[in-house]
């Protein structure tokens, strides 16, 4: 590996392939956790599902023990933005749940997050018609937040395909959030205190990846960079605080939050989403971007 002036870690194709393996473990684990989410299930129950999925895959969890964190996944509910600790909290119909997961394969990390609204039978597919979602117990304002946050993440990822500088990601994310808010007639908050990051032989690496416009242009994008794009959006203000457990980040105003994340690699001939089963093909296709094959 090679390090640039900012200590950015540039991966070889073989190292990216190992990260792809870690990314697929994360994707499978998130799918298992999502399938297990039901009213009456605790966040500790979901953590146990994740632990088994990662162990069965022969991988190791990125989060467990990280600076003392006690969970395999982060489980953040309703006004909890990120870093929620799995425990005795019982999930209920209408909860907005965000799950963040990381896994390590042969020393290389994958990191991804999803958000969903819990219906009477489990996690709801936010792509379903609004009437079906309401009938299942969802608040359409929460569904709009989940859709907006996911769409903003994909806009940021797609920007990597043609941008020269990293700040294009934040510009794309903020523009997508603004457009969705105007269409829906709401004003969303973009959390600025927490951002995306580089990822590779460590879970968190330079550079920071902002989810909003900044005055500078940011580092130059280069082949071998691997970045975690992760917008955190609220139905209210962008200000947050940390609970007494020193981990759980909540919105100051009590508004609900959503969090989506994917780890993405920049290669010589394009980009590929390491934590998406299809490499990002379906959602990037909307932007005219085709992910590259890792062979």
């Amino acid at each position: 590996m090679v390090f640039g002036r900012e200590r950015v870690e540039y991966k070889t194709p073989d190292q990216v392939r190992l990260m792809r393996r870690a990314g697929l473990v994360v994707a499978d684990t998130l799918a298992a956790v999502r399938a297990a989410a039901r009213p009456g299930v605790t966040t500790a129950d979901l953590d146990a599902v994740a632990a088994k999925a990662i162990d069965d895959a022969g991988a190791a969890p990125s989060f467990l023990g990280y600076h003392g964190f006690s969970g395999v996944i982060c489980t953040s509910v309703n006004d909890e933005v990120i870093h929620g600790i799995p425990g005795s909290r019982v999930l209920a119909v209408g909860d907005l749940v965000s799950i963040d997961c990381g896994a390590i394969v042969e020393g290389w990390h994958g990191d991804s997050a999803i958000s969903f609204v819990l219906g009477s039978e489990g996690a709801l597919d936010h792509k379903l018609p609004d009437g079906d979602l309401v009938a299942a117990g969802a608040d359409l304002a929460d569904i709009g937040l989940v859709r907006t946050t996911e769409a903003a993440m994909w806009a940021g990822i797609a920007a990597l395909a043609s941008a020269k500088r990293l700040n294009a990601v934040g510009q794309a994310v903020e523009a997508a959030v603004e457009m969705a808010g105007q269409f829906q007639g709401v004003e969303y908050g973009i959390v600025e205190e927490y951002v995306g990051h580089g990822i590779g032989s460590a879970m968190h690496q330079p550079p920071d990846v902002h989810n909003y416009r900044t005055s500078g242009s940011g580092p130059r994008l280069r082949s071998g960079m691997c970045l975690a794009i992760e917008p955190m959006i609220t139905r209210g203000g962008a200000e947050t605080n940390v609970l007494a457990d020193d981990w759980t980040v909540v919105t100051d105003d009590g508004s609900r939050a959503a969090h989506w994340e994917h780890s993405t690699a920049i290669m010589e001939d394009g980009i590929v989403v390491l934590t998406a089963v299809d490499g990002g093909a379906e959602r990037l296709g909307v932007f005219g971007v085709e992910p590259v094959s890792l062979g």
Side-chain angles (χ1 to χ4, degrees):
M1 66 192 68
V2 180
F3 291 90
R5 206 176 291 172
E6 293 184 279
R7 305 295 296 172
V8 173
E9 184 182 77
Y10 298 99
K11 288 77 175 174
T12 68
D14 284 344
Q15 290 168 342
V16 173
R17 291 185 189 98
L18 286 172
M19 291 184 65
R20 173 62 167 161
R21 286 173 53 192
L24 290 175
V25 172
V26 172
D28 290 345
T29 300
L30 286 172
V33 170
R34 192 181 191 283
R38 295 282 188 282
V41 166
T42 68
T43 53
D45 293 333
L46 298 184
D47 195 63
V49 169
K52 184 178 187 304
I54 292 172
D55 185 64
D56 287 351
S62 297
F63 297 177
L64 184 63
Y66 182 76
H67 294 287
F69 190 76
S70 60
V72 170
I73 55 175
C74 297
T75 54
S76 306
V77 184
N78 296 334
D79 65 331
E80 297 171 354
V81 184
I82 49 172
H83 302 165
I85 303 173
S88 60
R89 181 170 188 155
V90 178
L91 298 179
V93 173
D95 279 345
L96 199 168
V97 183
S98 295
I99 306 294
D100 195 353
C101 178
I104 312 167
V105 171
E106 296 186 29
W108 295 91
H109 292 255
D111 189 8
S112 183
I114 60 173
S115 291
F116 55 82
V117 176
L118 198 64
S120 54
E121 301 298 324
L124 296 173
D125 181 354
H126 54 275
K127 300 181 185 69
L128 290 173
D130 288 354
D132 294 347
L133 293 166
V134 171
D139 181 340
L140 287 184
D142 288 338
I143 294 294
L145 175 63
V146 170
R147 290 169 174 165
T148 296
T149 308
E150 184 188 24
M153 175 194 67
W154 283 110
I157 293 171
L160 291 173
S162 57
K164 302 300 183 185
R165 295 281 184 172
L166 182 59
N167 281 6
V169 172
Q171 293 169 2
V173 168
E174 185 167 356
V177 172
E178 289 173 343
M179 184 178 301
Q182 291 168 4
F183 180 77
Q184 298 168 30
V186 299
E187 186 171 349
Y188 290 115
I190 300 176
V191 173
E192 297 187 2
E193 295 167 277
Y194 302 90
V195 296
H197 51 89
I199 184 170
S201 60
M203 180 167 59
H204 292 122
Q205 299 179 327
D208 288 345
V209 183
H210 298 114
N211 298 308
Y212 48 89
R213 300 181 183 95
T214 60
S215 57
S217 58
R220 184 177 298 279
L221 297 175
R222 281 181 47 187
S223 175
M225 292 178 80
C226 293
L227 305 166
I229 313 300
E230 54 174 325
M232 292 145 271
I233 311 299
T234 79
R235 283 176 52 186
E239 293 74 26
T240 65
N241 64 82
V242 180
L243 297 184
D245 62 18
D246 288 330
W247 278 105
T248 309
V249 177
V250 299
T251 57
D252 272 359
D253 59 9
S255 61
R256 291 190 168 194
H259 174 211
W260 282 87
E261 176 183 17
H262 268 311
S263 299
T264 303
I266 303 174
M267 309 300 287
E268 288 288 352
D269 50 351
I271 65 171
V272 59
V273 182
L274 303 173
T275 45
V277 173
D278 68 351
E282 180 183 357
R283 295 302 297 265
L284 289 176
V286 175
F287 299 89
V289 175
E290 182 178 352
V292 300
S293 172
L294 293 177

